[in-house]
Short mmCIF file of all heavy atoms in Angstrom, two decimals:
data_model
loop_
_atom_site.label_atom_id
_atom_site.label_comp_id
_atom_site.label_asym_id
_atom_site.label_seq_id
_atom_site.Cartn_x
_atom_site.Cartn_y
_atom_site.Cartn_z
N MET Q 1 7.53 12.46 -26.14
CA MET Q 1 7.40 11.27 -25.33
C MET Q 1 5.94 10.85 -25.28
O MET Q 1 5.06 11.65 -25.01
CB MET Q 1 7.93 11.56 -23.94
CG MET Q 1 8.27 10.34 -23.17
SD MET Q 1 9.05 10.70 -21.58
CE MET Q 1 10.45 11.67 -22.04
N CYS Q 2 5.64 9.60 -25.54
CA CYS Q 2 4.29 9.06 -25.59
C CYS Q 2 3.97 8.36 -24.27
O CYS Q 2 4.83 7.78 -23.64
CB CYS Q 2 4.21 8.08 -26.75
SG CYS Q 2 2.58 7.36 -26.96
N SER Q 3 2.70 8.43 -23.86
CA SER Q 3 2.32 7.74 -22.63
C SER Q 3 1.78 6.36 -22.96
O SER Q 3 1.36 6.08 -24.06
CB SER Q 3 1.27 8.55 -21.87
OG SER Q 3 0.06 8.59 -22.60
N SER Q 4 1.78 5.50 -21.95
CA SER Q 4 1.28 4.15 -22.08
C SER Q 4 0.01 4.05 -21.24
O SER Q 4 -0.01 4.49 -20.10
CB SER Q 4 2.34 3.18 -21.58
OG SER Q 4 1.87 1.86 -21.68
N ASP Q 5 -1.07 3.50 -21.82
CA ASP Q 5 -2.32 3.36 -21.10
C ASP Q 5 -2.42 1.98 -20.46
O ASP Q 5 -2.15 0.98 -21.13
CB ASP Q 5 -3.51 3.54 -22.03
CG ASP Q 5 -3.70 4.97 -22.49
OD1 ASP Q 5 -3.06 5.87 -21.93
OD2 ASP Q 5 -4.49 5.18 -23.43
N LEU Q 6 -2.78 1.95 -19.20
CA LEU Q 6 -3.00 0.71 -18.47
C LEU Q 6 -4.38 0.79 -17.82
O LEU Q 6 -4.74 1.83 -17.28
CB LEU Q 6 -1.93 0.51 -17.40
CG LEU Q 6 -0.50 0.43 -17.91
CD1 LEU Q 6 0.48 0.50 -16.76
CD2 LEU Q 6 -0.29 -0.82 -18.72
N THR Q 7 -5.14 -0.30 -17.87
CA THR Q 7 -6.49 -0.30 -17.32
C THR Q 7 -6.61 -1.34 -16.22
O THR Q 7 -6.13 -2.46 -16.36
CB THR Q 7 -7.52 -0.60 -18.43
OG1 THR Q 7 -7.37 0.37 -19.46
CG2 THR Q 7 -8.93 -0.53 -17.90
N VAL Q 8 -7.28 -0.95 -15.13
CA VAL Q 8 -7.55 -1.84 -14.00
C VAL Q 8 -9.05 -1.89 -13.81
O VAL Q 8 -9.70 -0.85 -13.66
CB VAL Q 8 -6.89 -1.34 -12.70
CG1 VAL Q 8 -7.18 -2.28 -11.54
CG2 VAL Q 8 -5.41 -1.12 -12.88
N GLY Q 9 -9.63 -3.08 -13.81
CA GLY Q 9 -11.04 -3.26 -13.48
C GLY Q 9 -11.15 -3.60 -12.00
O GLY Q 9 -10.36 -4.39 -11.49
N VAL Q 10 -12.09 -2.97 -11.31
CA VAL Q 10 -12.27 -3.21 -9.88
C VAL Q 10 -13.73 -3.37 -9.52
O VAL Q 10 -14.62 -2.86 -10.21
CB VAL Q 10 -11.68 -2.06 -9.02
CG1 VAL Q 10 -10.18 -1.95 -9.19
CG2 VAL Q 10 -12.35 -0.74 -9.33
N THR Q 11 -13.96 -4.08 -8.44
CA THR Q 11 -15.28 -4.20 -7.81
C THR Q 11 -15.09 -3.87 -6.34
O THR Q 11 -14.10 -4.29 -5.73
CB THR Q 11 -15.85 -5.62 -7.96
OG1 THR Q 11 -16.03 -5.87 -9.36
CG2 THR Q 11 -17.18 -5.78 -7.24
N PHE Q 12 -16.02 -3.10 -5.78
CA PHE Q 12 -15.94 -2.76 -4.36
C PHE Q 12 -17.33 -2.54 -3.79
O PHE Q 12 -18.31 -2.40 -4.53
CB PHE Q 12 -15.05 -1.53 -4.14
CG PHE Q 12 -15.48 -0.31 -4.93
CD1 PHE Q 12 -16.35 0.62 -4.40
CD2 PHE Q 12 -14.99 -0.10 -6.21
CE1 PHE Q 12 -16.74 1.74 -5.12
CE2 PHE Q 12 -15.36 1.01 -6.94
CZ PHE Q 12 -16.24 1.93 -6.40
N VAL Q 13 -17.40 -2.54 -2.49
CA VAL Q 13 -18.65 -2.31 -1.76
C VAL Q 13 -18.70 -0.85 -1.34
O VAL Q 13 -17.71 -0.29 -0.88
CB VAL Q 13 -18.73 -3.24 -0.52
CG1 VAL Q 13 -19.90 -2.88 0.38
CG2 VAL Q 13 -18.80 -4.69 -0.95
N VAL Q 14 -19.87 -0.24 -1.48
CA VAL Q 14 -20.12 1.08 -0.91
C VAL Q 14 -20.94 0.82 0.35
O VAL Q 14 -22.07 0.32 0.28
CB VAL Q 14 -20.88 2.00 -1.89
CG1 VAL Q 14 -21.20 3.33 -1.22
CG2 VAL Q 14 -20.08 2.20 -3.17
N ASP Q 15 -20.36 1.15 1.51
CA ASP Q 15 -21.04 0.86 2.77
C ASP Q 15 -22.13 1.90 3.06
O ASP Q 15 -22.35 2.82 2.27
CB ASP Q 15 -20.05 0.71 3.92
CG ASP Q 15 -19.37 1.99 4.36
OD1 ASP Q 15 -19.80 3.10 3.99
OD2 ASP Q 15 -18.39 1.90 5.12
N VAL Q 16 -22.82 1.73 4.18
CA VAL Q 16 -23.95 2.61 4.52
C VAL Q 16 -23.52 4.05 4.81
O VAL Q 16 -24.36 4.94 4.90
CB VAL Q 16 -24.78 2.05 5.71
CG1 VAL Q 16 -25.40 0.71 5.32
CG2 VAL Q 16 -23.94 1.92 6.96
N TYR Q 17 -22.22 4.27 4.97
CA TYR Q 17 -21.70 5.62 5.20
C TYR Q 17 -21.16 6.25 3.90
O TYR Q 17 -20.66 7.37 3.92
CB TYR Q 17 -20.59 5.59 6.26
CG TYR Q 17 -21.07 5.00 7.56
CD1 TYR Q 17 -20.73 3.70 7.91
CD2 TYR Q 17 -21.91 5.72 8.41
CE1 TYR Q 17 -21.19 3.14 9.09
CE2 TYR Q 17 -22.38 5.16 9.58
CZ TYR Q 17 -22.02 3.88 9.92
OH TYR Q 17 -22.49 3.31 11.08
N GLY Q 18 -21.23 5.50 2.78
CA GLY Q 18 -20.75 6.00 1.50
C GLY Q 18 -19.28 5.77 1.25
O GLY Q 18 -18.72 6.27 0.27
N LYS Q 19 -18.65 4.97 2.11
CA LYS Q 19 -17.22 4.69 1.97
C LYS Q 19 -17.01 3.42 1.15
O LYS Q 19 -17.73 2.45 1.30
CB LYS Q 19 -16.62 4.52 3.36
CG LYS Q 19 -15.11 4.36 3.38
CD LYS Q 19 -14.62 4.35 4.81
CE LYS Q 19 -13.16 4.19 5.02
NZ LYS Q 19 -12.27 3.86 4.01
N ALA Q 20 -16.01 3.45 0.27
CA ALA Q 20 -15.67 2.28 -0.53
C ALA Q 20 -14.84 1.31 0.31
O ALA Q 20 -13.88 1.71 0.97
CB ALA Q 20 -14.88 2.70 -1.77
N THR Q 21 -15.23 0.04 0.31
CA THR Q 21 -14.54 -1.00 1.07
C THR Q 21 -14.45 -2.27 0.23
O THR Q 21 -15.10 -2.38 -0.82
CB THR Q 21 -15.29 -1.33 2.38
OG1 THR Q 21 -16.56 -1.89 2.06
CG2 THR Q 21 -15.48 -0.11 3.26
N GLN Q 22 -13.67 -3.23 0.69
CA GLN Q 22 -13.58 -4.56 0.09
C GLN Q 22 -13.25 -4.51 -1.41
O GLN Q 22 -13.76 -5.29 -2.20
CB GLN Q 22 -14.87 -5.34 0.31
CG GLN Q 22 -15.24 -5.52 1.76
CD GLN Q 22 -16.59 -6.19 1.93
OE1 GLN Q 22 -16.92 -7.10 1.19
NE2 GLN Q 22 -17.36 -5.71 2.88
N CYS Q 23 -12.39 -3.60 -1.79
CA CYS Q 23 -12.01 -3.45 -3.19
C CYS Q 23 -11.15 -4.63 -3.64
O CYS Q 23 -10.29 -5.10 -2.89
CB CYS Q 23 -11.26 -2.14 -3.39
SG CYS Q 23 -10.79 -1.84 -5.10
N ARG Q 24 -11.38 -5.08 -4.87
CA ARG Q 24 -10.53 -6.11 -5.46
C ARG Q 24 -10.46 -5.88 -6.97
O ARG Q 24 -11.43 -5.42 -7.58
CB ARG Q 24 -11.02 -7.51 -5.15
CG ARG Q 24 -12.36 -7.85 -5.73
CD ARG Q 24 -12.79 -9.26 -5.33
NE ARG Q 24 -14.13 -9.53 -5.82
CZ ARG Q 24 -14.40 -9.98 -7.04
NH1 ARG Q 24 -13.43 -10.25 -7.89
NH2 ARG Q 24 -15.65 -10.20 -7.42
N ALA Q 25 -9.31 -6.16 -7.51
CA ALA Q 25 -9.11 -6.05 -8.95
C ALA Q 25 -9.80 -7.21 -9.64
O ALA Q 25 -9.63 -8.37 -9.25
CB ALA Q 25 -7.63 -6.02 -9.29
N THR Q 26 -10.61 -6.93 -10.65
CA THR Q 26 -11.29 -7.97 -11.41
C THR Q 26 -10.65 -8.19 -12.78
O THR Q 26 -10.85 -9.21 -13.40
CB THR Q 26 -12.78 -7.63 -11.60
OG1 THR Q 26 -12.89 -6.34 -12.20
CG2 THR Q 26 -13.49 -7.64 -10.26
N SER Q 27 -9.90 -7.19 -13.23
CA SER Q 27 -9.07 -7.35 -14.43
C SER Q 27 -7.79 -6.56 -14.20
O SER Q 27 -7.83 -5.43 -13.72
CB SER Q 27 -9.78 -6.93 -15.71
OG SER Q 27 -10.08 -5.56 -15.71
N THR Q 28 -6.69 -7.17 -14.50
CA THR Q 28 -5.40 -6.60 -14.13
C THR Q 28 -4.81 -5.68 -15.20
O THR Q 28 -5.07 -5.87 -16.40
CB THR Q 28 -4.40 -7.71 -13.79
OG1 THR Q 28 -3.16 -7.13 -13.38
CG2 THR Q 28 -4.16 -8.64 -14.97
N SER Q 29 -4.02 -4.76 -14.75
CA SER Q 29 -3.27 -3.88 -15.64
C SER Q 29 -2.03 -4.59 -16.17
O SER Q 29 -1.38 -4.11 -17.10
CB SER Q 29 -2.82 -2.63 -14.87
OG SER Q 29 -1.92 -3.01 -13.84
N GLY Q 30 -1.69 -5.71 -15.53
CA GLY Q 30 -0.46 -6.41 -15.84
C GLY Q 30 0.63 -6.10 -14.82
O GLY Q 30 1.70 -6.69 -14.85
N PHE Q 31 0.32 -5.15 -13.93
CA PHE Q 31 1.25 -4.76 -12.88
C PHE Q 31 0.52 -4.87 -11.54
O PHE Q 31 -0.35 -4.05 -11.24
CB PHE Q 31 1.76 -3.33 -13.08
CG PHE Q 31 2.57 -3.15 -14.33
CD1 PHE Q 31 1.96 -2.75 -15.50
CD2 PHE Q 31 3.93 -3.42 -14.33
CE1 PHE Q 31 2.69 -2.60 -16.67
CE2 PHE Q 31 4.68 -3.27 -15.49
CZ PHE Q 31 4.05 -2.86 -16.67
N ARG Q 32 0.87 -5.87 -10.74
CA ARG Q 32 0.19 -6.08 -9.47
C ARG Q 32 0.24 -4.84 -8.59
O ARG Q 32 -0.73 -4.49 -7.95
CB ARG Q 32 0.81 -7.27 -8.74
CG ARG Q 32 0.17 -7.51 -7.38
CD ARG Q 32 0.39 -8.89 -6.85
NE ARG Q 32 0.05 -9.02 -5.45
CZ ARG Q 32 -1.18 -8.89 -4.93
NH1 ARG Q 32 -2.19 -8.59 -5.70
NH2 ARG Q 32 -1.38 -9.04 -3.63
N SER Q 33 1.38 -4.14 -8.58
CA SER Q 33 1.50 -2.95 -7.73
C SER Q 33 0.51 -1.86 -8.14
O SER Q 33 -0.04 -1.16 -7.28
CB SER Q 33 2.93 -2.41 -7.75
OG SER Q 33 3.31 -2.08 -9.07
N LEU Q 34 0.23 -1.72 -9.43
CA LEU Q 34 -0.75 -0.73 -9.89
C LEU Q 34 -2.16 -1.16 -9.53
O LEU Q 34 -2.99 -0.34 -9.12
CB LEU Q 34 -0.63 -0.49 -11.39
CG LEU Q 34 -1.52 0.59 -11.97
CD1 LEU Q 34 -1.26 1.95 -11.32
CD2 LEU Q 34 -1.34 0.69 -13.48
N ASP Q 35 -2.46 -2.45 -9.64
CA ASP Q 35 -3.77 -2.97 -9.26
C ASP Q 35 -4.03 -2.72 -7.77
O ASP Q 35 -5.09 -2.23 -7.38
CB ASP Q 35 -3.87 -4.47 -9.55
CG ASP Q 35 -3.69 -4.80 -11.03
OD1 ASP Q 35 -3.76 -3.89 -11.87
OD2 ASP Q 35 -3.46 -5.99 -11.32
N VAL Q 36 -3.04 -3.03 -6.94
CA VAL Q 36 -3.16 -2.84 -5.49
C VAL Q 36 -3.29 -1.35 -5.17
O VAL Q 36 -4.15 -0.94 -4.37
CB VAL Q 36 -1.95 -3.46 -4.75
CG1 VAL Q 36 -1.92 -3.04 -3.28
CG2 VAL Q 36 -1.97 -4.97 -4.88
N ALA Q 37 -2.48 -0.51 -5.80
CA ALA Q 37 -2.53 0.93 -5.54
C ALA Q 37 -3.89 1.52 -5.94
O ALA Q 37 -4.40 2.41 -5.27
CB ALA Q 37 -1.41 1.64 -6.29
N THR Q 38 -4.48 1.00 -7.02
CA THR Q 38 -5.80 1.48 -7.45
C THR Q 38 -6.83 1.23 -6.35
O THR Q 38 -7.58 2.13 -5.97
CB THR Q 38 -6.22 0.78 -8.76
OG1 THR Q 38 -5.26 1.08 -9.78
CG2 THR Q 38 -7.59 1.26 -9.21
N CYS Q 39 -6.84 0.02 -5.80
CA CYS Q 39 -7.79 -0.29 -4.72
C CYS Q 39 -7.49 0.53 -3.46
O CYS Q 39 -8.41 1.00 -2.79
CB CYS Q 39 -7.79 -1.79 -4.41
SG CYS Q 39 -8.91 -2.73 -5.49
N GLN Q 40 -6.23 0.72 -3.15
CA GLN Q 40 -5.88 1.52 -1.97
C GLN Q 40 -6.40 2.95 -2.12
O GLN Q 40 -6.94 3.52 -1.17
CB GLN Q 40 -4.38 1.51 -1.75
CG GLN Q 40 -3.86 0.20 -1.24
CD GLN Q 40 -2.33 0.15 -1.17
OE1 GLN Q 40 -1.63 0.90 -1.84
NE2 GLN Q 40 -1.82 -0.78 -0.37
N LEU Q 41 -6.24 3.52 -3.29
CA LEU Q 41 -6.72 4.88 -3.54
C LEU Q 41 -8.24 4.96 -3.45
O LEU Q 41 -8.80 5.90 -2.87
CB LEU Q 41 -6.24 5.40 -4.89
CG LEU Q 41 -4.78 5.78 -4.97
CD1 LEU Q 41 -4.36 6.01 -6.41
CD2 LEU Q 41 -4.52 7.02 -4.14
N ILE Q 42 -8.92 3.98 -4.03
CA ILE Q 42 -10.39 3.96 -3.98
C ILE Q 42 -10.86 3.89 -2.53
O ILE Q 42 -11.72 4.66 -2.11
CB ILE Q 42 -10.94 2.77 -4.79
CG1 ILE Q 42 -10.71 3.02 -6.29
CG2 ILE Q 42 -12.42 2.54 -4.50
CD1 ILE Q 42 -10.95 1.80 -7.15
N GLU Q 43 -10.30 2.97 -1.76
CA GLU Q 43 -10.74 2.81 -0.37
C GLU Q 43 -10.38 4.03 0.49
O GLU Q 43 -11.11 4.36 1.42
CB GLU Q 43 -10.15 1.53 0.22
CG GLU Q 43 -10.79 0.29 -0.37
CD GLU Q 43 -10.28 -1.00 0.22
OE1 GLU Q 43 -9.27 -0.99 0.97
OE2 GLU Q 43 -10.90 -2.03 -0.06
N ARG Q 44 -9.32 4.70 0.17
CA ARG Q 44 -8.89 5.86 0.96
C ARG Q 44 -9.68 7.13 0.59
O ARG Q 44 -10.00 7.93 1.46
CB ARG Q 44 -7.40 6.10 0.74
CG ARG Q 44 -6.82 7.16 1.67
CD ARG Q 44 -5.33 7.35 1.50
NE ARG Q 44 -4.61 6.08 1.45
CZ ARG Q 44 -3.68 5.78 0.54
NH1 ARG Q 44 -3.34 6.63 -0.39
NH2 ARG Q 44 -3.08 4.61 0.57
N ARG Q 45 -9.99 7.31 -0.69
CA ARG Q 45 -10.50 8.60 -1.14
C ARG Q 45 -11.94 8.62 -1.63
O ARG Q 45 -12.59 9.66 -1.55
CB ARG Q 45 -9.62 9.13 -2.27
CG ARG Q 45 -8.22 9.41 -1.81
CD ARG Q 45 -7.43 10.00 -2.93
NE ARG Q 45 -6.05 10.27 -2.52
CZ ARG Q 45 -5.13 10.70 -3.34
NH1 ARG Q 45 -5.40 10.92 -4.59
NH2 ARG Q 45 -3.91 10.91 -2.88
N ALA Q 46 -12.43 7.52 -2.19
CA ALA Q 46 -13.75 7.54 -2.82
C ALA Q 46 -14.87 7.64 -1.78
O ALA Q 46 -14.85 6.95 -0.77
CB ALA Q 46 -13.95 6.30 -3.67
N ARG Q 47 -15.82 8.50 -2.08
CA ARG Q 47 -17.01 8.64 -1.24
C ARG Q 47 -18.23 8.71 -2.15
O ARG Q 47 -18.21 9.37 -3.19
CB ARG Q 47 -16.96 9.91 -0.38
CG ARG Q 47 -15.83 9.93 0.63
CD ARG Q 47 -15.98 8.82 1.67
NE ARG Q 47 -14.91 8.80 2.63
CZ ARG Q 47 -13.80 8.07 2.53
NH1 ARG Q 47 -13.60 7.30 1.50
NH2 ARG Q 47 -12.88 8.10 3.46
N TYR Q 48 -19.28 8.01 -1.77
CA TYR Q 48 -20.49 7.90 -2.56
C TYR Q 48 -21.70 8.22 -1.71
O TYR Q 48 -21.64 8.15 -0.48
CB TYR Q 48 -20.64 6.48 -3.12
CG TYR Q 48 -19.58 6.12 -4.12
CD1 TYR Q 48 -18.36 5.61 -3.72
CD2 TYR Q 48 -19.81 6.32 -5.47
CE1 TYR Q 48 -17.38 5.28 -4.64
CE2 TYR Q 48 -18.83 6.00 -6.41
CZ TYR Q 48 -17.62 5.48 -5.98
OH TYR Q 48 -16.65 5.17 -6.90
N THR Q 49 -22.79 8.51 -2.35
CA THR Q 49 -24.07 8.59 -1.66
C THR Q 49 -24.56 7.15 -1.56
O THR Q 49 -24.67 6.46 -2.58
CB THR Q 49 -25.07 9.43 -2.46
OG1 THR Q 49 -24.55 10.75 -2.61
CG2 THR Q 49 -26.43 9.48 -1.76
N PRO Q 50 -24.81 6.67 -0.34
CA PRO Q 50 -25.21 5.27 -0.18
C PRO Q 50 -26.53 4.97 -0.90
O PRO Q 50 -27.38 5.85 -1.05
CB PRO Q 50 -25.39 5.11 1.32
CG PRO Q 50 -24.69 6.25 1.94
CD PRO Q 50 -24.71 7.36 0.94
N ALA Q 51 -26.67 3.72 -1.32
CA ALA Q 51 -27.92 3.26 -1.93
C ALA Q 51 -29.01 3.18 -0.87
O ALA Q 51 -28.72 3.15 0.34
CB ALA Q 51 -27.70 1.89 -2.57
N ARG Q 52 -30.24 3.15 -1.32
CA ARG Q 52 -31.39 3.01 -0.41
C ARG Q 52 -32.30 1.90 -0.92
O ARG Q 52 -32.43 1.71 -2.11
CB ARG Q 52 -32.16 4.32 -0.31
CG ARG Q 52 -31.34 5.42 0.34
CD ARG Q 52 -32.18 6.65 0.62
NE ARG Q 52 -31.38 7.67 1.26
CZ ARG Q 52 -31.23 7.80 2.58
NH1 ARG Q 52 -31.86 6.99 3.38
NH2 ARG Q 52 -30.48 8.74 3.08
N ASP Q 53 -32.92 1.21 0.03
CA ASP Q 53 -33.85 0.16 -0.35
C ASP Q 53 -35.24 0.76 -0.62
O ASP Q 53 -35.40 1.99 -0.58
CB ASP Q 53 -33.90 -0.95 0.70
CG ASP Q 53 -34.47 -0.52 2.04
OD1 ASP Q 53 -35.06 0.59 2.14
OD2 ASP Q 53 -34.33 -1.29 3.01
N GLY Q 54 -36.21 -0.09 -0.87
CA GLY Q 54 -37.57 0.35 -1.19
C GLY Q 54 -38.25 1.15 -0.09
O GLY Q 54 -39.16 1.94 -0.36
N GLN Q 55 -37.80 0.97 1.16
CA GLN Q 55 -38.36 1.72 2.28
C GLN Q 55 -37.54 2.97 2.61
O GLN Q 55 -37.82 3.64 3.60
CB GLN Q 55 -38.45 0.83 3.53
CG GLN Q 55 -39.55 -0.23 3.47
CD GLN Q 55 -39.17 -1.40 2.58
OE1 GLN Q 55 -38.04 -1.86 2.58
NE2 GLN Q 55 -40.12 -1.85 1.79
N GLY Q 56 -36.54 3.24 1.79
CA GLY Q 56 -35.73 4.43 2.02
C GLY Q 56 -34.58 4.26 3.00
O GLY Q 56 -33.89 5.21 3.32
N ARG Q 57 -34.36 3.02 3.45
CA ARG Q 57 -33.25 2.76 4.38
C ARG Q 57 -31.93 2.67 3.61
O ARG Q 57 -31.88 2.13 2.51
CB ARG Q 57 -33.48 1.45 5.14
CG ARG Q 57 -34.69 1.51 6.08
CD ARG Q 57 -34.88 0.17 6.72
NE ARG Q 57 -35.23 -0.79 5.68
CZ ARG Q 57 -36.08 -1.80 5.81
NH1 ARG Q 57 -36.65 -2.02 6.97
NH2 ARG Q 57 -36.35 -2.61 4.82
N VAL Q 58 -30.89 3.20 4.22
CA VAL Q 58 -29.55 3.15 3.62
C VAL Q 58 -29.05 1.71 3.66
O VAL Q 58 -29.19 1.02 4.68
CB VAL Q 58 -28.60 4.08 4.39
CG1 VAL Q 58 -27.19 4.00 3.85
CG2 VAL Q 58 -29.10 5.52 4.34
N ILE Q 59 -28.50 1.24 2.54
CA ILE Q 59 -28.00 -0.13 2.43
C ILE Q 59 -26.64 -0.14 1.72
O ILE Q 59 -26.27 0.83 1.06
CB ILE Q 59 -28.97 -1.04 1.64
CG1 ILE Q 59 -29.21 -0.47 0.23
CG2 ILE Q 59 -30.28 -1.22 2.40
CD1 ILE Q 59 -29.95 -1.40 -0.71
N GLU Q 60 -25.92 -1.24 1.89
CA GLU Q 60 -24.67 -1.44 1.15
C GLU Q 60 -25.01 -1.76 -0.30
O GLU Q 60 -26.06 -2.32 -0.59
CB GLU Q 60 -23.87 -2.61 1.73
CG GLU Q 60 -23.22 -2.31 3.03
CD GLU Q 60 -22.29 -3.44 3.47
OE1 GLU Q 60 -22.35 -4.56 2.90
OE2 GLU Q 60 -21.51 -3.20 4.39
N SER Q 61 -24.09 -1.42 -1.19
CA SER Q 61 -24.24 -1.76 -2.60
C SER Q 61 -22.86 -2.05 -3.16
O SER Q 61 -21.85 -1.86 -2.48
CB SER Q 61 -24.89 -0.61 -3.36
OG SER Q 61 -24.08 0.56 -3.30
N SER Q 62 -22.81 -2.53 -4.38
CA SER Q 62 -21.51 -2.78 -5.00
C SER Q 62 -21.37 -1.97 -6.28
O SER Q 62 -22.36 -1.59 -6.90
CB SER Q 62 -21.32 -4.27 -5.29
OG SER Q 62 -22.27 -4.70 -6.24
N GLN Q 63 -20.13 -1.68 -6.61
CA GLN Q 63 -19.78 -0.93 -7.81
C GLN Q 63 -18.72 -1.72 -8.57
O GLN Q 63 -17.84 -2.32 -7.97
CB GLN Q 63 -19.19 0.44 -7.46
CG GLN Q 63 -20.16 1.40 -6.85
CD GLN Q 63 -21.09 2.00 -7.89
OE1 GLN Q 63 -20.73 2.14 -9.05
NE2 GLN Q 63 -22.28 2.36 -7.47
N THR Q 64 -18.80 -1.68 -9.87
CA THR Q 64 -17.78 -2.25 -10.73
C THR Q 64 -17.37 -1.16 -11.71
O THR Q 64 -18.22 -0.60 -12.40
CB THR Q 64 -18.30 -3.49 -11.48
OG1 THR Q 64 -18.71 -4.47 -10.52
CG2 THR Q 64 -17.24 -4.08 -12.39
N LEU Q 65 -16.09 -0.84 -11.71
CA LEU Q 65 -15.57 0.25 -12.55
C LEU Q 65 -14.27 -0.16 -13.20
O LEU Q 65 -13.61 -1.10 -12.78
CB LEU Q 65 -15.33 1.50 -11.68
CG LEU Q 65 -16.50 2.07 -10.91
CD1 LEU Q 65 -16.03 3.16 -9.97
CD2 LEU Q 65 -17.55 2.61 -11.85
N ARG Q 66 -13.88 0.60 -14.22
CA ARG Q 66 -12.58 0.44 -14.86
C ARG Q 66 -11.86 1.78 -14.75
O ARG Q 66 -12.44 2.83 -15.00
CB ARG Q 66 -12.73 0.04 -16.32
CG ARG Q 66 -13.37 -1.33 -16.46
CD ARG Q 66 -13.46 -1.79 -17.89
NE ARG Q 66 -12.18 -2.06 -18.51
CZ ARG Q 66 -11.43 -3.13 -18.28
NH1 ARG Q 66 -11.81 -4.02 -17.41
NH2 ARG Q 66 -10.29 -3.31 -18.90
N PHE Q 67 -10.59 1.71 -14.37
CA PHE Q 67 -9.76 2.91 -14.26
C PHE Q 67 -8.65 2.84 -15.30
O PHE Q 67 -7.97 1.82 -15.41
CB PHE Q 67 -9.15 3.04 -12.86
CG PHE Q 67 -10.18 3.40 -11.83
CD1 PHE Q 67 -10.94 2.43 -11.22
CD2 PHE Q 67 -10.39 4.72 -11.50
CE1 PHE Q 67 -11.90 2.77 -10.29
CE2 PHE Q 67 -11.34 5.07 -10.57
CZ PHE Q 67 -12.11 4.10 -9.97
N ARG Q 68 -8.49 3.91 -16.04
CA ARG Q 68 -7.43 3.98 -17.05
C ARG Q 68 -6.32 4.88 -16.53
O ARG Q 68 -6.56 6.04 -16.20
CB ARG Q 68 -7.98 4.54 -18.36
CG ARG Q 68 -6.99 4.48 -19.49
CD ARG Q 68 -7.65 4.91 -20.79
NE ARG Q 68 -6.80 5.92 -21.38
CZ ARG Q 68 -7.14 7.15 -21.64
NH1 ARG Q 68 -8.34 7.58 -21.38
NH2 ARG Q 68 -6.28 7.98 -22.17
N TRP Q 69 -5.14 4.33 -16.46
CA TRP Q 69 -3.96 5.07 -16.01
C TRP Q 69 -3.09 5.37 -17.22
O TRP Q 69 -2.93 4.53 -18.10
CB TRP Q 69 -3.16 4.24 -15.01
CG TRP Q 69 -3.88 3.95 -13.75
CD1 TRP Q 69 -4.62 2.84 -13.46
CD2 TRP Q 69 -3.98 4.79 -12.60
NE1 TRP Q 69 -5.15 2.92 -12.20
CE2 TRP Q 69 -4.78 4.12 -11.65
CE3 TRP Q 69 -3.47 6.04 -12.28
CZ2 TRP Q 69 -5.06 4.65 -10.41
CZ3 TRP Q 69 -3.75 6.57 -11.04
CH2 TRP Q 69 -4.54 5.89 -10.12
N GLN Q 70 -2.53 6.55 -17.25
CA GLN Q 70 -1.55 6.90 -18.28
C GLN Q 70 -0.20 7.03 -17.60
O GLN Q 70 -0.03 7.86 -16.71
CB GLN Q 70 -1.93 8.20 -18.97
CG GLN Q 70 -3.17 8.06 -19.82
CD GLN Q 70 -3.48 9.32 -20.58
OE1 GLN Q 70 -3.34 10.42 -20.07
NE2 GLN Q 70 -3.92 9.15 -21.81
N ILE Q 71 0.72 6.18 -18.01
CA ILE Q 71 2.04 6.11 -17.40
C ILE Q 71 3.08 6.57 -18.41
O ILE Q 71 3.09 6.13 -19.55
CB ILE Q 71 2.37 4.66 -16.97
CG1 ILE Q 71 1.25 4.05 -16.12
CG2 ILE Q 71 3.72 4.59 -16.26
CD1 ILE Q 71 1.00 4.72 -14.81
N ASP Q 72 3.95 7.45 -17.99
CA ASP Q 72 5.07 7.89 -18.82
C ASP Q 72 5.96 6.68 -19.06
O ASP Q 72 6.43 6.06 -18.10
CB ASP Q 72 5.82 9.00 -18.10
CG ASP Q 72 6.95 9.58 -18.91
OD1 ASP Q 72 7.56 8.86 -19.72
OD2 ASP Q 72 7.23 10.78 -18.72
N PRO Q 73 6.19 6.30 -20.33
CA PRO Q 73 7.00 5.10 -20.61
C PRO Q 73 8.39 5.14 -19.98
O PRO Q 73 8.95 4.09 -19.68
CB PRO Q 73 7.11 5.07 -22.13
CG PRO Q 73 6.00 5.93 -22.62
CD PRO Q 73 5.72 6.94 -21.54
N SER Q 74 8.94 6.30 -19.76
CA SER Q 74 10.28 6.38 -19.16
C SER Q 74 10.26 5.96 -17.69
O SER Q 74 11.29 5.70 -17.10
CB SER Q 74 10.86 7.79 -19.30
OG SER Q 74 10.12 8.70 -18.50
N LEU Q 75 9.06 5.88 -17.08
CA LEU Q 75 8.93 5.48 -15.68
C LEU Q 75 8.64 3.99 -15.51
O LEU Q 75 8.68 3.48 -14.41
CB LEU Q 75 7.83 6.28 -14.99
CG LEU Q 75 8.01 7.79 -14.99
CD1 LEU Q 75 6.80 8.46 -14.38
CD2 LEU Q 75 9.28 8.18 -14.26
N GLN Q 76 8.34 3.29 -16.61
CA GLN Q 76 8.04 1.87 -16.52
C GLN Q 76 9.32 1.07 -16.38
O GLN Q 76 10.35 1.45 -16.92
CB GLN Q 76 7.28 1.41 -17.76
CG GLN Q 76 5.88 1.96 -17.83
CD GLN Q 76 5.10 1.40 -19.01
OE1 GLN Q 76 5.55 0.49 -19.69
NE2 GLN Q 76 3.94 1.95 -19.25
N PRO Q 77 9.24 -0.05 -15.64
CA PRO Q 77 10.42 -0.91 -15.44
C PRO Q 77 10.89 -1.55 -16.73
O PRO Q 77 10.20 -1.72 -17.65
CB PRO Q 77 9.96 -1.95 -14.44
CG PRO Q 77 8.48 -1.87 -14.38
CD PRO Q 77 8.07 -0.57 -14.98
#
């Protein structure tokens, strides 16, 4: 059985506490539910070291990433 690769591009904010927020899909996998689930997982689980400005103060920053999912073809609609 071969797997099917699906990719979701996302952009999100890393807040001053290192938590991912305001996630949105920037390129779709073709499945809205997978795009939404990707952002939900990022916001629930991802933690980062916050960015710092020139004076060393913690600031918000943004990240843009691509996630590749491998889905068993027998599970696709």
